[in-house]
Amino acid sequence: MDWIIPANNNIYDHEAAFKKWRHIDWKQNLNYSIGDIVYIYCTRPLMKIMYKTQVEKVKMDFSEIVNDEEFWSDKSQYGKAEYYVRLRLLNEIDDDRLDLSHLKEHGLKGAPQRGMKIKTNELKDYIEEIMLESKKIEVLLEEEGTYEIYEGGKSSIKVNKYERSSIARQKCIEYHGVSCKICGINFEDMYGEVGKGFIHVHHINL
């Protein structure tokens, strides 16, 4: 069974929770089965499907879930559910083709107000097509990389980790577009439909 559930980032920071655990323990108010696919629709201002997850555990009580109180903006809502479901992250995507207007063109009646089953093959197939294309892009980029491999060497590596915001990314794309500001590459021009809307947004340190 495939589902769509809405998520409001102003209430719960699911993006940060996924980064920490690669899953979220969400209140269970639907009759999920282990193995079901659950797409997460991010509400305003994003208004698009951005996560594909799979049901890993069902009917967990509060004692079984991870402590994610830090991600609740309203702490009074923490731990209020009777049961919880564990949703394992399978894919994260930011593609305008999964926004509300496009989803409605393929069978969605309106913005999800609560969890719902996907009842039409057209909608299910459309979402999966976009998800699959995003995976193909990742593989394509990896295959085009050039690597030199050495064995036996010892090195110390220091890296900086930057927190990412899907809202900031969307605002950046709205302002700058999806062509690279450094080299000018546009993935749609180079790879066709599979590259439509694809771009990595990077920080600039000043």
Side-chain angles (χ1 to χ4, degrees), residues 14-25 51-54 56 86-92 135:
H14 48 278
E15 180 180 8
F18 275 134
K19 286 181 178 178
K20 184 170 184 177
W21 292 298
R22 304 298 293 176
H23 74 261
I24 58 174
D25 292 338
Y51 302 97
K52 176 182 179 180
T53 69
Q54 187 169 37
E56 192 171 80
R86 177 158 295 176
L87 301 176
R88 175 68 57 183
L89 182 63
L90 298 180
N91 194 11
E92 181 177 355
K135 288 293 187 183

Side-chain angles (χ1 to χ4, degrees), residues 41-202:
Y41 173 88
C42 297
T43 58
R44 292 181 183 274
L46 299 170
M47 300 178 67
K48 64 178 73 172
I49 288 176
M50 299 188 69
Y51 302 97
K52 176 182 179 180
T53 69
Q54 187 169 37
V55 176
E56 192 171 80
K57 295 182 179 180
V58 296
K59 286 198 172 181
M60 299 189 299
D61 62 35
F62 181 70
S63 66
E64 297 177 87
I65 70 171
V66 294
N67 185 345
D68 60 353
E69 184 176 7
E70 62 183 297
F71 301 123
W72 286 89
S73 56
D74 183 356
K75 305 300 184 186
S76 67
Q77 296 302 309
Y78 176 64
K80 292 295 186 180
E82 180 179 6
Y83 293 113
Y84 296 84
V85 58
R86 177 158 295 176
L87 301 176
R88 175 68 57 183
L89 182 63
L90 298 180
N91 194 11
E92 181 177 355
I93 185 172
D94 188 352
D95 192 312
D96 287 341
R97 290 174 295 173
L98 291 178
D99 67 15
L100 180 59
S101 62
H102 287 87
L103 294 172
K104 289 171 70 174
E105 290 175 1
H106 291 84
L108 187 66
K109 300 300 183 183
Q113 302 300 314
R114 58 183 61 85
M116 54 173 283
K117 293 180 182 178
I118 299 180
K119 296 182 178 179
T120 66
N121 288 332
E122 179 187 1
L123 180 58
K124 176 182 175 180
D125 292 345
Y126 176 72
I127 295 171
E128 270 306 298
E129 179 184 0
I130 307 304
M131 290 283 179
L132 182 60
E133 285 184 5
S134 75
K135 288 293 187 183
K136 288 180 179 178
I137 282 284
E138 292 178 8
V139 172
L140 186 62
L141 292 175
E142 289 174 1
E143 288 179 348
E144 290 199 348
T146 301
Y147 306 94
E148 293 185 12
I149 301 173
Y150 302 91
E151 285 190 305
K154 181 178 180 181
S155 60
S156 297
I157 301 173
K158 181 179 180 180
V159 299
N160 293 323
K161 177 183 178 183
Y162 296 94
E163 296 299 324
R164 310 307 300 269
S165 167
S166 56
I167 296 175
R169 179 184 190 279
Q170 182 63 28
K171 293 295 183 183
C172 178
I173 290 175
E174 289 174 2
Y175 185 84
H176 292 287
V178 294
S179 294
C180 179
K181 292 297 182 180
I182 305 300
C183 67
I185 186 175
N186 182 292
F187 284 90
E188 184 177 8
D189 292 342
M190 178 167 288
Y191 299 114
E193 184 69 19
V194 70
K196 185 176 181 180
F198 184 85
I199 189 71
H200 278 295
V201 173
H202 298 281

